Every structure is written in C-alpha cells, then in structure tokens.
Coordinates of all heavy atoms in Angstrom, one line a residue:
M1 N 32.1 -29.1 -101.9 CA 32.8 -29.1 -100.6 C 33.6 -27.8 -100.6 O 34.3 -27.4 -101.5 CB 33.8 -30.2 -100.6 CG 34.7 -30.2 -99.3 SD 35.8 -31.6 -99.3 CE 35.7 -32.1 -97.6
A2 N 33.4 -27.0 -99.5 CA 34.1 -25.7 -99.3 C 35.7 -25.9 -99.1 O 36.1 -26.9 -98.4 CB 33.5 -25.0 -98.1
K3 N 36.4 -25.0 -99.6 CA 37.8 -25.2 -99.5 C 38.3 -24.6 -98.2 O 37.7 -23.7 -97.6 CB 38.5 -24.4 -100.6 CG 38.2 -25.0 -102.0 CD 39.1 -24.4 -103.0 CE 38.8 -25.0 -104.4 NZ 39.5 -24.6 -105.5
N4 N 39.3 -25.1 -97.6 CA 39.8 -24.7 -96.3 C 41.0 -23.7 -96.5 O 42.1 -24.0 -96.4 CB 40.3 -26.0 -95.5 CG 40.8 -25.6 -94.1 OD1 40.7 -24.5 -93.7 ND2 41.3 -26.6 -93.4
Y5 N 40.6 -22.5 -96.8 CA 41.6 -21.4 -97.0 C 42.3 -21.2 -95.7 O 43.5 -20.9 -95.8 CB 40.8 -20.2 -97.5 CG 40.2 -20.3 -98.9 CD1 38.8 -20.3 -98.9 CD2 41.0 -20.5 -100.0 CE1 38.2 -20.4 -100.2 CE2 40.3 -20.7 -101.2 CZ 39.0 -20.6 -101.3 OH 38.4 -20.8 -102.5
T6 N 41.7 -21.2 -94.5 CA 42.4 -20.9 -93.3 C 43.5 -21.9 -93.0 O 44.6 -21.6 -92.7 CB 41.4 -20.8 -92.2 OG1 40.4 -19.9 -92.4 CG2 42.1 -20.5 -90.8
G7 N 43.1 -23.1 -93.2 CA 44.2 -24.3 -93.0 C 45.4 -24.1 -94.0 O 46.5 -24.2 -93.5
T8 N 45.1 -23.9 -95.2 CA 46.1 -23.7 -96.2 C 46.9 -22.5 -96.0 O 48.2 -22.5 -96.0 CB 45.5 -23.7 -97.6 OG1 44.7 -24.9 -97.8 CG2 46.6 -23.6 -98.7
A9 N 46.2 -21.4 -95.5 CA 47.0 -20.2 -95.2 C 48.0 -20.4 -94.1 O 49.1 -19.9 -94.2 CB 46.0 -19.0 -94.9
M10 N 47.6 -21.1 -93.1 CA 48.4 -21.4 -92.0 C 49.6 -22.2 -92.4 O 50.8 -22.0 -91.9 CB 47.7 -22.0 -90.8 CG 46.6 -21.2 -90.2 SD 47.3 -19.5 -89.6 CE 48.5 -20.0 -88.4
K11 N 49.4 -23.2 -93.3 CA 50.5 -24.0 -93.8 C 51.5 -23.2 -94.6 O 52.7 -23.3 -94.5 CB 50.0 -25.2 -94.6 CG 49.4 -26.2 -93.8 CD 48.8 -27.3 -94.6 CE 48.0 -28.3 -93.8 NZ 47.4 -29.4 -94.6
I12 N 50.9 -22.3 -95.5 CA 51.8 -21.3 -96.3 C 52.6 -20.5 -95.3 O 53.9 -20.4 -95.5 CB 50.9 -20.5 -97.2 CG1 50.4 -21.3 -98.3 CG2 51.8 -19.3 -97.8 CD1 49.4 -20.7 -99.1
I13 N 52.0 -19.9 -94.3 CA 52.8 -19.1 -93.4 C 53.9 -19.9 -92.6 O 55.0 -19.5 -92.5 CB 51.8 -18.4 -92.3 CG1 50.9 -17.4 -93.0 CG2 52.5 -17.8 -91.1 CD1 49.7 -17.0 -92.3
D14 N 53.5 -21.1 -92.2 CA 54.6 -21.9 -91.5 C 55.7 -22.3 -92.5 O 56.9 -22.2 -92.1 CB 53.9 -23.2 -91.1 CG 53.1 -23.0 -89.8 OD1 53.1 -22.0 -89.2 OD2 52.2 -24.0 -89.6
N15 N 55.4 -22.5 -93.7 CA 56.4 -22.9 -94.7 C 57.3 -21.6 -95.0 O 58.4 -21.9 -95.6 CB 55.9 -23.4 -96.0 CG 55.2 -24.8 -95.8 OD1 55.6 -25.6 -94.9 ND2 54.2 -25.1 -96.6
L16 N 56.8 -20.4 -94.7 CA 57.6 -19.2 -95.0 C 58.4 -18.8 -93.8 O 59.1 -17.8 -93.8 CB 56.7 -18.1 -95.5 CG 56.0 -18.3 -96.8 CD1 55.1 -17.2 -97.2 CD2 57.1 -18.4 -97.9
G17 N 58.4 -19.6 -92.7 CA 59.2 -19.3 -91.6 C 58.4 -18.7 -90.5 O 59.0 -18.2 -89.5
G18 N 57.1 -18.6 -90.6 CA 56.2 -18.1 -89.6 C 55.9 -16.5 -89.8 O 56.6 -15.9 -90.6
L19 N 55.0 -16.1 -89.0 CA 54.5 -14.6 -89.2 C 55.6 -13.7 -89.0 O 55.7 -12.7 -89.7 CB 53.4 -14.4 -88.1 CG 52.1 -14.8 -88.5 CD1 51.2 -14.6 -87.2 CD2 51.5 -14.2 -89.7
E20 N 56.6 -13.9 -88.1 CA 57.7 -13.0 -87.8 C 58.6 -12.9 -89.0 O 59.4 -11.9 -89.1 CB 58.4 -13.4 -86.6 CG 59.0 -14.8 -86.5 CD 58.1 -16.0 -86.3 OE1 57.0 -15.7 -85.9 OE2 58.5 -17.1 -86.6
N21 N 58.6 -13.8 -90.0 CA 59.5 -13.8 -91.1 C 58.8 -13.1 -92.3 O 59.4 -12.8 -93.3 CB 59.9 -15.2 -91.5 CG 61.1 -15.2 -92.6 OD1 62.0 -14.4 -92.4 ND2 61.1 -16.0 -93.5
I22 N 57.5 -12.8 -92.2 CA 56.8 -12.2 -93.4 C 56.6 -10.7 -93.1 O 55.9 -10.3 -92.1 CB 55.4 -12.9 -93.6 CG1 55.7 -14.4 -93.8 CG2 54.7 -12.3 -94.8 CD1 54.4 -15.3 -93.8
E23 N 57.1 -9.9 -94.0 CA 56.9 -8.4 -93.9 C 55.5 -8.0 -94.4 O 54.8 -7.3 -93.7 CB 58.0 -7.6 -94.7 CG 59.3 -7.8 -94.1 CD 60.3 -7.0 -94.9 OE1 60.0 -6.1 -95.7 OE2 61.5 -7.3 -94.6
K24 N 55.1 -8.6 -95.6 CA 53.8 -8.2 -96.1 C 53.5 -9.2 -97.2 O 54.4 -10.0 -97.7 CB 53.7 -6.8 -96.6 CG 54.6 -6.5 -97.8 CD 54.5 -5.1 -98.3 CE 55.4 -4.9 -99.5 NZ 55.3 -3.6 -100.1
V25 N 52.2 -9.2 -97.7 CA 51.8 -10.0 -98.8 C 51.0 -9.1 -99.7 O 50.2 -8.2 -99.2 CB 51.0 -11.2 -98.4 CG1 49.7 -10.8 -97.6 CG2 50.7 -12.2 -99.5
I26 N 51.2 -9.2 -101.0 CA 50.3 -8.6 -102.0 C 49.9 -9.8 -102.9 O 50.3 -10.9 -102.8 CB 51.1 -7.5 -102.8 CG1 52.2 -8.0 -103.6 CG2 51.5 -6.4 -101.9 CD1 52.9 -7.0 -104.5
H27 N 48.9 -9.5 -103.8 CA 48.5 -10.6 -104.8 C 48.2 -9.9 -106.2 O 47.9 -8.7 -106.2 CB 47.3 -11.4 -104.3 CG 46.1 -10.7 -104.3 ND1 45.2 -10.8 -105.5 CD2 45.4 -10.0 -103.4 CE1 44.1 -10.1 -105.2 NE2 44.2 -9.7 -104.0
C28 N 48.4 -10.7 -107.2 CA 48.0 -10.4 -108.5 C 46.8 -11.3 -108.9 O 46.2 -11.8 -108.0 CB 49.2 -10.5 -109.5 SG 49.9 -12.2 -109.6
A29 N 46.7 -11.6 -110.1 CA 45.5 -12.4 -110.5 C 45.6 -13.8 -110.1 O 44.6 -14.5 -109.9 CB 45.4 -12.3 -112.1
T30 N 46.9 -14.4 -110.0 CA 47.0 -15.7 -109.6 C 47.9 -16.1 -108.5 O 48.0 -17.3 -108.1 CB 47.4 -16.6 -110.9 OG1 48.6 -16.2 -111.4 CG2 46.4 -16.5 -112.0
R31 N 48.7 -15.1 -108.1 CA 49.8 -15.4 -107.1 C 49.7 -14.6 -105.9 O 49.4 -13.4 -105.9 CB 51.2 -15.1 -107.8 CG 51.4 -16.1 -108.9 CD 52.7 -15.7 -109.5 NE 52.9 -16.6 -110.7 CZ 54.0 -16.5 -111.5 NH1 55.0 -15.8 -111.1 NH2 54.0 -17.3 -112.5
L32 N 50.2 -15.2 -104.7 CA 50.5 -14.5 -103.5 C 51.9 -14.1 -103.6 O 52.7 -14.9 -103.9 CB 50.2 -15.3 -102.3 CG 48.8 -15.7 -102.0 CD1 48.8 -16.7 -100.9 CD2 47.9 -14.6 -101.7
R33 N 52.3 -12.8 -103.3 CA 53.6 -12.3 -103.4 C 54.1 -11.8 -102.0 O 53.6 -10.9 -101.6 CB 53.7 -11.2 -104.5 CG 53.4 -11.7 -105.9 CD 53.3 -10.6 -106.8 NE 52.8 -11.0 -108.1 CZ 53.5 -11.0 -109.3 NH1 54.8 -10.6 -109.2 NH2 53.0 -11.5 -110.4
F34 N 55.0 -12.6 -101.4 CA 55.4 -12.2 -100.1 C 56.7 -11.5 -100.1 O 57.6 -11.9 -100.8 CB 55.6 -13.5 -99.3 CG 54.3 -14.3 -99.0 CD1 53.8 -15.3 -100.0 CD2 53.5 -14.0 -97.9 CE1 52.6 -15.9 -99.7 CE2 52.3 -14.7 -97.7 CZ 51.9 -15.7 -98.5
A35 N 56.9 -10.6 -99.2 CA 58.2 -9.9 -98.9 C 58.6 -10.6 -97.5 O 57.9 -10.5 -96.5 CB 58.1 -8.4 -98.7
L36 N 59.8 -11.3 -97.7 CA 60.3 -12.0 -96.4 C 61.4 -11.3 -95.8 O 62.3 -10.7 -96.5 CB 60.7 -13.5 -96.9 CG 59.6 -14.3 -97.4 CD1 60.1 -15.7 -97.9 CD2 58.4 -14.4 -96.6
R37 N 61.6 -11.4 -94.5 CA 62.8 -10.8 -93.9 C 64.0 -11.7 -94.1 O 65.1 -11.2 -94.3 CB 62.5 -10.8 -92.4 CG 61.5 -9.7 -92.0 CD 61.1 -9.6 -90.6 NE 60.3 -8.4 -90.3 CZ 59.0 -8.5 -90.4 NH1 58.4 -9.6 -90.7 NH2 58.3 -7.4 -90.1
N38 N 63.8 -13.1 -94.2 CA 64.9 -13.9 -94.4 C 64.4 -15.1 -95.3 O 63.8 -16.0 -94.9 CB 65.4 -14.5 -93.1 CG 66.6 -15.5 -93.2 OD1 67.0 -15.9 -94.4 ND2 67.3 -15.8 -92.2
S39 N 64.7 -15.0 -96.6 CA 64.2 -16.0 -97.6 C 64.7 -17.4 -97.4 O 64.1 -18.4 -97.8 CB 64.5 -15.6 -99.0 OG 65.8 -15.4 -99.3
S40 N 65.9 -17.5 -96.6 CA 66.4 -18.8 -96.4 C 65.6 -19.7 -95.4 O 65.8 -20.9 -95.3 CB 67.9 -18.8 -95.9 OG 67.9 -18.2 -94.6
L41 N 64.7 -19.0 -94.7 CA 63.8 -19.7 -93.8 C 62.6 -20.4 -94.5 O 61.9 -21.2 -93.9 CB 63.3 -18.7 -92.7 CG 64.3 -18.2 -91.7 CD1 63.7 -17.2 -90.8 CD2 65.1 -19.3 -91.0
A42 N 62.4 -20.0 -95.7 CA 61.2 -20.6 -96.5 C 61.6 -22.1 -96.9 O 62.7 -22.3 -97.4 CB 61.0 -19.8 -97.7
D43 N 60.6 -22.9 -96.7 CA 60.8 -24.4 -97.1 C 60.1 -24.6 -98.4 O 58.9 -25.0 -98.4 CB 60.2 -25.2 -95.9 CG 60.4 -26.7 -96.2 OD1 60.8 -27.1 -97.3 OD2 60.3 -27.4 -95.1
T44 N 60.7 -24.4 -99.5 CA 60.2 -24.5 -100.8 C 59.6 -25.8 -101.2 O 58.5 -26.0 -101.7 CB 61.2 -23.9 -101.8 OG1 61.5 -22.6 -101.6 CG2 60.6 -24.0 -103.2
E45 N 60.4 -26.8 -100.8 CA 59.9 -28.2 -101.1 C 58.6 -28.5 -100.4 O 57.8 -29.1 -101.0 CB 61.1 -29.2 -100.8 CG 62.3 -29.1 -101.6 CD 61.9 -29.1 -103.1 OE1 61.1 -30.1 -103.6 OE2 62.3 -28.3 -103.9
Q46 N 58.5 -28.1 -99.1 CA 57.3 -28.4 -98.4 C 56.2 -27.5 -98.9 O 55.0 -28.0 -99.0 CB 57.5 -28.1 -96.9 CG 56.4 -28.6 -96.0 CD 56.2 -30.2 -96.2 OE1 57.2 -30.9 -96.2 NE2 55.0 -30.7 -96.2
M47 N 56.4 -26.3 -99.4 CA 55.5 -25.4 -99.9 C 54.9 -26.1 -101.2 O 53.7 -26.0 -101.4 CB 56.1 -24.1 -100.3 CG 55.1 -23.0 -100.8 SD 54.0 -22.4 -99.5 CE 55.1 -21.3 -98.7
K48 N 55.8 -26.6 -102.0 CA 55.2 -27.3 -103.3 C 54.3 -28.4 -103.0 O 53.5 -28.7 -103.8 CB 56.4 -27.8 -104.1 CG 57.2 -26.6 -104.7 CD 58.4 -27.2 -105.4 CE 59.3 -26.2 -106.0 NZ 60.5 -26.8 -106.6
K49 N 54.4 -29.0 -101.8 CA 53.5 -30.2 -101.5 C 52.2 -29.7 -100.8 O 51.4 -30.6 -100.5 CB 54.3 -31.1 -100.5 CG 55.5 -31.7 -101.1 CD 56.3 -32.5 -100.1 CE 57.6 -33.1 -100.7 NZ 58.4 -33.8 -99.6
T50 N 52.1 -28.4 -100.5 CA 50.9 -27.9 -99.8 C 49.7 -27.9 -100.7 O 49.7 -27.4 -101.8 CB 51.2 -26.5 -99.3 OG1 52.3 -26.5 -98.4 CG2 50.0 -26.0 -98.5
E51 N 48.6 -28.6 -100.2 CA 47.4 -28.6 -101.0 C 46.9 -27.2 -101.3 O 46.9 -26.3 -100.4 CB 46.3 -29.4 -100.2 CG 45.1 -29.5 -101.0 CD 44.0 -30.4 -100.3 OE1 44.3 -31.0 -99.2 OE2 42.9 -30.3 -100.7
G52 N 46.6 -26.9 -102.5 CA 46.2 -25.6 -102.9 C 47.3 -24.7 -103.5 O 47.0 -23.7 -104.1
V53 N 48.5 -25.1 -103.4 CA 49.7 -24.5 -104.0 C 50.0 -25.1 -105.3 O 50.2 -26.3 -105.4 CB 50.9 -24.4 -103.1 CG1 52.1 -23.8 -103.7 CG2 50.5 -23.7 -101.8
M54 N 50.0 -24.4 -106.4 CA 50.2 -24.9 -107.7 C 51.7 -24.7 -108.1 O 52.1 -25.4 -109.1 CB 49.4 -24.2 -108.7 CG 47.9 -24.3 -108.4 SD 46.9 -23.3 -109.4 CE 45.9 -24.4 -110.2
G55 N 52.5 -23.9 -107.4 CA 53.9 -23.7 -107.8 C 54.4 -22.6 -107.0 O 53.7 -21.9 -106.2
V56 N 55.8 -22.4 -107.0 CA 56.5 -21.5 -106.2 C 57.6 -20.9 -107.0 O 58.3 -21.6 -107.8 CB 57.1 -22.2 -105.0 CG1 57.9 -21.3 -104.1 CG2 56.0 -22.9 -104.1
M57 N 57.9 -19.6 -106.8 CA 59.0 -18.9 -107.4 C 59.6 -18.0 -106.3 O 58.8 -17.3 -105.6 CB 58.6 -18.0 -108.6 CG 58.2 -18.8 -109.9 SD 57.6 -17.9 -111.2 CE 59.1 -16.8 -111.5
N58 N 60.9 -17.9 -106.3 CA 61.5 -16.9 -105.4 C 62.4 -16.1 -106.3 O 63.5 -16.5 -106.6 CB 62.3 -17.7 -104.4 CG 62.9 -16.8 -103.3 OD1 62.6 -15.6 -103.3 ND2 63.6 -17.4 -102.4
T59 N 61.9 -14.9 -106.7 CA 62.7 -14.1 -107.7 C 62.4 -12.6 -107.4 O 61.3 -12.2 -106.9 CB 62.3 -14.4 -109.1 OG1 62.9 -13.6 -110.0 CG2 60.7 -14.2 -109.3
G60 N 63.3 -11.8 -107.7 CA 63.2 -10.3 -107.6 C 62.9 -9.8 -106.2 O 62.2 -8.9 -106.1
G61 N 63.3 -10.5 -105.2 CA 63.0 -10.1 -103.8 C 61.7 -10.5 -103.3 O 61.3 -10.0 -102.2
Q62 N 60.9 -11.3 -104.1 CA 59.6 -11.7 -103.8 C 59.6 -13.3 -103.8 O 60.1 -13.9 -104.6 CB 58.5 -11.2 -104.8 CG 58.1 -9.8 -104.7 CD 57.0 -9.5 -105.6 OE1 56.8 -10.2 -106.6 NE2 56.4 -8.4 -105.4
Y63 N 58.9 -13.8 -102.8 CA 58.5 -15.2 -102.7 C 57.1 -15.3 -103.2 O 56.2 -14.9 -102.6 CB 58.8 -15.7 -101.3 CG 58.8 -17.2 -101.2 CD1 60.0 -17.9 -101.2 CD2 57.6 -18.0 -101.2 CE1 60.1 -19.3 -101.2 CE2 57.6 -19.4 -101.1 CZ 58.9 -20.0 -101.1 OH 58.9 -21.4 -101.1
Q64 N 56.9 -15.9 -104.4 CA 55.6 -16.0 -105.0 C 55.1 -17.4 -105.0 O 55.8 -18.3 -105.3 CB 55.8 -15.6 -106.5 CG 56.3 -14.2 -106.7 CD 56.5 -13.8 -108.2 OE1 55.9 -14.4 -109.0 NE2 57.2 -12.8 -108.4
V65 N 53.9 -17.5 -104.5 CA 53.1 -18.7 -104.3 C 51.9 -18.7 -105.3 O 51.0 -17.9 -105.2 CB 52.7 -18.9 -102.9 CG1 51.9 -20.3 -102.8 CG2 53.9 -18.9 -102.0
L66 N 52.0 -19.6 -106.3 CA 51.0 -19.7 -107.3 C 49.8 -20.4 -106.7 O 49.8 -21.6 -106.3 CB 51.5 -20.4 -108.6 CG 50.5 -20.6 -109.7 CD1 50.0 -19.3 -110.2 CD2 51.1 -21.4 -110.8
I67 N 48.6 -19.7 -106.8 CA 47.4 -20.3 -106.1 C 46.3 -20.5 -107.2 O 45.6 -21.4 -107.2 CB 46.8 -19.3 -105.1 CG1 47.8 -19.1 -103.9 CG2 45.5 -19.8 -104.6 CD1 48.1 -20.2 -103.1
G68 N 46.3 -19.6 -108.2 CA 45.2 -19.7 -109.3 C 44.1 -18.9 -109.0 O 44.2 -17.8 -108.3
T69 N 42.9 -19.2 -109.5 CA 41.8 -18.3 -109.4 C 41.3 -18.1 -108.0 O 40.5 -17.2 -107.8 CB 40.7 -18.8 -110.3 OG1 40.3 -20.2 -109.8 CG2 41.0 -18.9 -111.8
D70 N 41.7 -18.9 -107.0 CA 41.3 -18.7 -105.6 C 42.2 -17.7 -104.9 O 42.1 -17.6 -103.7 CB 41.2 -20.0 -104.9 CG 40.1 -21.0 -105.4 OD1 39.1 -20.5 -106.0 OD2 40.3 -22.2 -105.3
V71 N 43.0 -17.0 -105.6 CA 44.0 -16.2 -104.9 C 43.4 -15.1 -104.0 O 44.0 -14.9 -102.9 CB 45.0 -15.6 -105.9 CG1 44.3 -14.5 -106.7 CG2 46.3 -15.1 -105.3
A72 N 42.3 -14.5 -104.4 CA 41.7 -13.4 -103.5 C 41.3 -14.1 -102.2 O 41.5 -13.4 -101.1 CB 40.6 -12.7 -104.2
D73 N 40.6 -15.2 -102.3 CA 40.2 -15.9 -101.0 C 41.4 -16.3 -100.1 O 41.3 -16.2 -98.9 CB 39.3 -17.1 -101.3 CG 38.0 -16.7 -102.0 OD1 37.4 -15.7 -101.5 OD2 37.6 -17.4 -102.9
M74 N 42.4 -16.8 -100.8 CA 43.6 -17.2 -100.0 C 44.3 -16.0 -99.4 O 44.7 -16.0 -98.3 CB 44.6 -18.0 -100.9 CG 45.7 -18.7 -100.1 SD 45.1 -19.9 -99.0 CE 44.5 -21.1 -100.1
F75 N 44.4 -14.9 -100.2 CA 44.9 -13.7 -99.7 C 44.2 -13.2 -98.4 O 44.8 -12.9 -97.5 CB 44.8 -12.6 -100.8 CG 45.3 -11.2 -100.4 CD1 46.6 -10.9 -100.3 CD2 44.4 -10.3 -100.0 CE1 47.1 -9.6 -100.0 CE2 44.8 -9.0 -99.6 CZ 46.1 -8.7 -99.7
D76 N 42.9 -13.2 -98.5 CA 42.1 -12.8 -97.3 C 42.4 -13.7 -96.1 O 42.5 -13.2 -95.0 CB 40.6 -12.9 -97.7 CG 40.2 -11.9 -98.6 OD1 40.9 -10.8 -98.8 OD2 39.0 -12.0 -99.2
A77 N 42.6 -15.0 -96.3 CA 42.8 -15.9 -95.2 C 44.2 -15.6 -94.6 O 44.5 -15.7 -93.4 CB 42.7 -17.4 -95.6
V78 N 45.2 -15.4 -95.5 CA 46.6 -15.1 -95.1 C 46.6 -13.8 -94.3 O 47.1 -13.7 -93.2 CB 47.5 -14.9 -96.3 CG1 48.8 -14.3 -95.9 CG2 47.8 -16.4 -96.8
V79 N 45.8 -12.8 -94.7 CA 45.8 -11.5 -93.9 C 45.0 -11.7 -92.6 O 45.5 -11.2 -91.6 CB 45.1 -10.4 -94.8 CG1 44.8 -9.2 -94.0 CG2 46.0 -10.1 -96.0
K80 N 44.0 -12.4 -92.7 CA 43.3 -12.7 -91.4 C 44.1 -13.4 -90.4 O 43.9 -13.3 -89.1 CB 42.0 -13.5 -91.6 CG 40.9 -12.6 -92.2 CD 39.6 -13.4 -92.5 CE 38.6 -12.6 -93.2 NZ 37.4 -13.4 -93.7
A81 N 45.1 -14.2 -90.9 CA 46.0 -15.0 -90.0 C 47.1 -14.0 -89.4 O 47.8 -14.5 -88.5 CB 46.6 -16.1 -90.7
G82 N 47.2 -12.8 -89.9 CA 48.1 -11.9 -89.2 C 49.2 -11.3 -90.1 O 50.0 -10.5 -89.6
V83 N 49.1 -11.6 -91.4 CA 50.2 -11.1 -92.3 C 49.8 -9.7 -92.8 O 48.6 -9.5 -93.1 CB 50.4 -12.0 -93.6 CG1 51.4 -11.5 -94.5 CG2 50.9 -13.4 -93.1
A84 N 50.6 -8.7 -92.9 CA 50.4 -7.4 -93.3 C 49.9 -7.3 -94.7 O 50.5 -7.9 -95.5 CB 51.5 -6.5 -93.1
D85 N 48.8 -6.6 -94.9 CA 48.1 -6.4 -96.2 C 48.9 -5.4 -97.0 O 48.8 -4.2 -96.7 CB 46.8 -6.1 -96.0 CG 45.9 -5.9 -97.3 OD1 46.6 -5.8 -98.4 OD2 44.7 -5.8 -97.2
G86 N 49.6 -5.8 -98.1 CA 50.3 -5.0 -98.9 C 49.5 -4.5 -100.2 O 50.0 -3.7 -101.0
G87 N 48.2 -5.1 -100.3 CA 47.4 -4.7 -101.4 C 47.5 -5.6 -102.5 O 47.8 -6.8 -102.4
T88 N 47.2 -5.1 -103.8 CA 47.2 -5.9 -104.9 C 48.2 -5.4 -105.9 O 48.6 -4.2 -105.8 CB 45.8 -6.0 -105.7 OG1 45.5 -4.6 -106.0 CG2 44.7 -6.6 -104.8
D89 N 48.6 -6.2 -106.9 CA 49.7 -5.8 -107.8 C 49.1 -5.7 -109.2 O 48.3 -6.5 -109.6 CB 50.8 -6.9 -107.8 CG 51.9 -6.5 -108.7 OD1 52.2 -5.3 -109.0 OD2 52.7 -7.4 -109.1

C-alpha cells in the first residue's frame, strides 16, 4: 500500500500553525527541520499523534519532526504543499 505523503504533509503543516507560520523546511537523514515564525502556534501533542511522525523536538530555533527513512518523500510533499525549500542539512 502506498503511503499518503500529501495527506500527512498537510497535517504536519496544520499542526505547525499553517503555511504562514513556516519560514522554511530542511531535512537531514531522518528529520524534517522547520524554521517557524511563532513556535507557540505549533501543536506538539497533536503532531505526536500524526500518522507517519515518530517524534518531535523543538530545540535550537528549529522545530524537528522525526520521520525516519521516508524523510525525503515527506520533504517533497511538504515543499509541494507550499513550504519554502531550505535544502538538506
């Protein structure tokens, strides 16, 4: 069964306070790393419940969403949904 990256990407964006709250996203080997305009708008508890999200960290000015080995596909879906592409870390 194919994974629904688009649906999960939209839930992640919503849990971060919407497109207008996200400055950019980058990714490393397992995490999406978001720069947020206002981190208090992020709903961490709801993010943790999102299918496809393995964990969450808010540290060092980055809101990090642990995705695992599917991170590149999820990154592409987040960027296609309208988040600025900050590249890879």
Side-chain angles (χ1 to χ4, degrees):
M1 176 184 221
K3 294 186 180 182
N4 183 4
Y5 296 111
T6 302
T8 302
M10 294 308 297
K11 289 178 184 175
I12 290 170
I13 291 166
D14 288 344
N15 290 332
L16 293 175
L19 283 172
E20 59 281 349
N21 194 41
I22 304 170
E23 291 181 18
K24 67 179 180 177
V25 63
I26 62 174
H27 75 87
C28 63
T30 59
R31 296 179 186 185
L32 296 173
R33 299 171 185 248
F34 293 91
L36 303 180
R37 290 182 174 85
N38 183 347
S39 62
S40 70
L41 295 178
D43 188 343
T44 299
E45 291 309 309
Q46 194 60 40
M47 184 72 78
K48 290 177 182 177
K49 297 175 186 176
T50 302
E51 186 176 347
V53 172
M54 302 169 125
V56 177
M57 289 180 57
N58 191 2
T59 183
Q62 287 184 336
Y63 193 95
Q64 301 178 18
V65 180
L66 179 60
I67 301 297
T69 57
D70 292 334
V71 72
D73 293 320
M74 191 64 69
F75 175 83
D76 290 343
V78 167
V79 170
K80 285 179 185 173
V83 176
D85 179 348
T88 58
D89 186 22

